[in-house]
Amino acid sequence: MKVRFNTIQEALSWASSYLEANGQEGLAAKFFLQDVLQFTSSDVMMKQFDPFPEDKITKYEKGIEQIATGTPYQYVSGVAEFYGRHFKVTPDVLIPRPETEELIEQLIQRKKTLFGKRPVRIVDIGTGTGCIATTLKLEIPEAEVHAVDISSQALEVARHNAVFLQADVQFLQGDMTEPIEGEKWDIFVSNPPYIAEVEKQQMHGNVLDHEPHLALFAEDEGLYFYKKMCARLPELLSAQAIVGFEIGYLQGPAVKLLLEQALPTAKVEVVEDLNGRDRMVFATL
């Protein structure tokens, strides 16, 4: 497709209309444009009447065509924004979600309350892009941070992100907690696969057709990985510790009960996200 547009605003107008005509979200046109031109949202507004850079036209056109087929714009650009930073993403990893930024915020505040400025050991299970582990290391520099994933392809992406963002994170390959057995952790965090197989038919095609199923789905009504981790927690946690799980919005009571059974002396809380849905469960020892 050859499209003629002169200014950034004209390109954005064409792209938004083209995406919507193909059943996709028009706003993706702006986000993809920001990635292609390395603009902020303010840049798009301030420079909307500037000429569109000729050397980027083909990349933008072809990318918009790909997004119009349902491919998430982050996979097309190879970048996703998380906590104000840019992370490399590939189809081997889940695209970071804004809700996970809320998990980070909660952990930072809870760390300050429980540990103050004391150095802590943090482990992130099922790290994917490494966005949780890398962000925690950058926001809590005194922490020693480890991250685990079963996928070698995911770990390659996660290592790239940590190096690019200059975060000293130790990455380990293995199934859930196996690589960290015998050690004690002050903060144990995980955003595991939690979507039940029966929920597949309710999912948007952009997610179902493009994001890795290994990072999305879990057996036992989506609770398989929580059960597996909770079974190991008593041996893995320090005397004072925080556990933080991201969850599906219907899983709060079930995951809360799992943590209460595994850690009878802990204070366990279900926390809502900004949309008012259960999204996180924390246990504090």
Side-chain angles (χ1 to χ4, degrees):
M1 179 190 301
K2 269 292 176 187
V3 183
R4 291 321 309 158
F5 43 74
N6 297 310
T7 67
I8 286 168
Q9 192 276 334
E10 287 175 7
L12 196 53
S13 178
W14 161 75
S16 300
S17 299
Y18 185 76
L19 291 180
E20 288 170 2
N22 284 273
Q24 304 301 325
E25 175 59 59
L27 195 56
K30 179 187 176 186
F31 295 140
F32 182 58
L33 183 140
Q34 290 175 205
D35 290 341
V36 170
L37 300 185
Q38 297 188 324
F39 275 11
T40 64
S41 184
S42 298
D43 289 334
V44 176
M45 180 68 70
M46 297 287 291
K47 301 179 181 182
Q48 60 180 312
F49 299 114
D50 288 4
F52 197 99
E54 283 196 26
D55 60 334
K56 305 283 187 177
I57 289 176
T58 299
K59 180 177 182 179
Y60 190 61
E61 288 179 352
K62 289 187 174 179
I64 290 297
E65 290 176 31
Q66 196 175 346
I67 296 164
T69 68
T71 305
Y73 74 88
Q74 295 96 331
Y75 287 149
V76 179
S77 66
V79 175
E81 187 173 335
F82 182 84
Y83 216 83
R85 301 181 178 97
H86 288 96
F87 285 78
K88 174 183 177 179
V89 293
T90 74
D92 294 311
V93 294
L94 204 64
I95 296 166
R97 265 54 173 188
E99 293 85 355
T100 307
E101 295 181 350
E102 297 181 52
L103 178 67
I104 298 282
E105 284 287 341
Q106 287 279 339
L107 286 171
I108 291 170
Q109 293 305 316
R110 289 163 187 269
K111 187 270 178 189
K112 287 178 182 175
T113 300
L114 190 63
F115 298 107
K117 295 183 178 180
R118 200 183 97 198
V120 291
R121 301 191 79 217
I122 300 174
V123 65
D124 171 29
I125 303 296
T127 197
T129 58
C131 66
I132 292 176
T134 294
T135 303
L136 287 173
K137 177 60 183 178
L138 293 170
E139 297 298 320
I140 312 174
E142 68 272 19
E144 175 190 333
V145 182
H146 293 243
V148 178
D149 207 289
I150 197 168
S151 165
S152 59
Q153 294 94 333
L155 285 173
E156 186 177 334
V157 174
R159 287 191 181 99
H160 168 91
N161 284 325
V163 170
F164 179 75
L165 293 167
Q166 298 182 310
D168 183 12
V169 178
Q170 303 301 310
F171 292 97
L172 305 165
Q173 184 174 3
D175 185 10
M176 302 303 287
T177 61
E178 283 179 6
I180 60 162
E181 296 291 339
E183 298 188 58
K184 297 289 185 182
W185 304 91
D186 304 306
I187 298 177
F188 184 105
V189 58
S190 183
N191 177 19
Y194 57 67
I195 300 172
E197 290 285 339
V198 296
E199 295 179 62
K200 274 187 179 180
Q201 61 269 28
Q202 303 167 23
M203 295 182 67
H204 198 289
N206 295 42
V207 175
L208 192 59
D209 297 338
H210 297 280
E211 300 203 49
H213 287 203
L214 183 67
L216 289 170
F217 297 103
E219 298 173 2
D220 202 355
E221 298 181 332
L223 298 174
Y224 174 80
F225 293 105
Y226 299 112
K227 289 183 176 180
K228 199 167 181 180
M229 287 185 284
C230 285
R232 309 304 304 161
L233 283 176
E235 300 165 20
L236 294 170
L237 298 179
S238 303
Q240 272 192 310
I242 301 166
V243 179
F245 288 151
E246 185 170 327
I247 60 166
Y249 71 97
L250 296 175
Q251 295 172 323
V255 176
K256 182 174 187 283
L257 181 61
L258 287 172
L259 282 167
E260 287 172 339
Q261 291 172 338
L263 306 168
T265 62
K267 177 186 177 184
V268 182
E269 308 162 78
V270 179
V271 177
E272 295 179 347
D273 61 23
L274 291 175
N275 295 315
R277 290 182 160 187
D278 288 352
R279 187 60 62 190
M280 298 155 273
V281 183
F282 294 96
T284 307
L285 287 169

